[in-house]
């Protein structure tokens, strides 16, 4: 009886109000869409568009303010793409890799810096777009399509010859690798962001204000690292698809 009474006391704690997996659905015909994910994604996209407009509305030869900051971001993304794809191939893929990094970075940081929970919706609650497995899987599948497109556009059907090189027995392993790449990308990003937000939410319930602050700062750092890891791996996969034997033999 004592144990049962203890469980009843635990059930009355505010921690029980923390729910995971509640969604607000939009029904369009026979489709059910996660409305909260769309709303949060539109906010992130709006922030990126506003930042771009502010940086380009009055371009100066000597940049300052927002223009200077955005040029620094562009230089960082250019270096990231050049490092992964090489000088000859990075330019066409810079917009894709840069968009991936910026969307994931702003999405991750929005989970900590934007008070989503103050916005009430009919069911569930708003959170960072990357806090939902549907978003991370979609980004991973886009990356998969990108490196398949890169390989086929560069090598044609000869791209699939890589599946049986250096020996044909590797064919099942290389096919399995194509499935594990998007899985690892999506679950790594989703797991880290969800775990960070859950830990901070639990600590806010238990010891509000001071204790969660260091973890929130650490969460911002790891969120930035996750965006960098995702964009870096996307560039590495694309480079792996388009590199030729001649390029592999070139000295570093």
């Amino acid at each position: 009886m004592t144990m049962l009474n203890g469980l009843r006391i635990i059930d009355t704690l505010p921690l029980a109000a923390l729910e995971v997996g509640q969604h607000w659905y939009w029904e369009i015909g026979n489709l059910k869409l996660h409305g909260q994910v769309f709303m949060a994604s539109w906010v992130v996209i709006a922030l990126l568009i506003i930042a771009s407009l502010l940086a380009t509305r009055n371009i100066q030869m000597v940049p300052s303010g927002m223009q200077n900051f955005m040029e620094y971001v562009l230089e960082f993304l250019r270096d990231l793409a050049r490092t992964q794809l090489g000088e000859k191939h990075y330019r066409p893929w810079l917009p894709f890799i840069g968009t991936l990094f910026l969307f994931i970075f702003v999405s991750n940081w929005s989970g900590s810096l934007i008070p989503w929970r103050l916005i009430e919706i009919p069911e569930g609650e708003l959170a960072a777009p990357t806090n939902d497995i549907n978003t991370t899987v979609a980004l991973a599948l886009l990356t998969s399509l990108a490196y398949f497109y890169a390989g086929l556009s560069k090598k044609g059907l000869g791209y699939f010859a890589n599946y049986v090189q250096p020996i044909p027995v590797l064919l099942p392993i290389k096919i399995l690798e194509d499935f594990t790449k998007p899985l690892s990308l999506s679950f790594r990003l989703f797991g880290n962001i969800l775990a960070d937000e859950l830990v901070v939410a639990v600590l806010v319930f238990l010891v509000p204000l001071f204790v969660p602050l260091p973890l929130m700062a650490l969460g911002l750092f790891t969120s930035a690292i996750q965006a960098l890891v995702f964009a870096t791996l996307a560039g590495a996969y694309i480079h792996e698809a388009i590199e030729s034997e001649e390029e592999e033999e070139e000295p570093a």
Side-chain angles (χ1 to χ4, degrees), residues 15 19-20 40 45 54 66 68 75 88 91 99 109 113 116 121 126 147 160 167 190 215-216 221 223 228 249 251:
L15 184 61
E19 297 180 353
V20 179
I45 293 171
L54 290 176
M66 195 64 180
N68 188 40
E75 190 67 27
K88 294 193 298 184
R91 293 182 185 277
T99 301
W109 273 43
L113 300 180
W116 293 110
I121 56 177
L126 293 176
Y147 69 72
F160 295 106
I167 53 177
F190 166 70
L215 285 179
M216 292 175 66
F221 175 74
S223 297
L228 178 61
E249 294 174 356

Side-chain angles (χ1 to χ4, degrees), residues 25 40 57 71 110-111 131 152 158 160 167 219 242:
Y25 291 104
R57 64 176 180 174
E71 287 190 8
S110 70
N131 188 32
L152 291 172
F160 295 106
I167 53 177
I242 63 178

Side-chain angles (χ1 to χ4, degrees), residues 5 48 54 57 73 90 94 110 114 127 170 179-180 184 209 222:
N5 292 332
L48 291 172
L54 290 176
R57 64 176 180 174
V73 172
Y90 85 93
L94 176 59
S110 70
I114 297 179
L170 293 178
F179 288 96
T180 57
S184 63
L209 193 58
T222 56

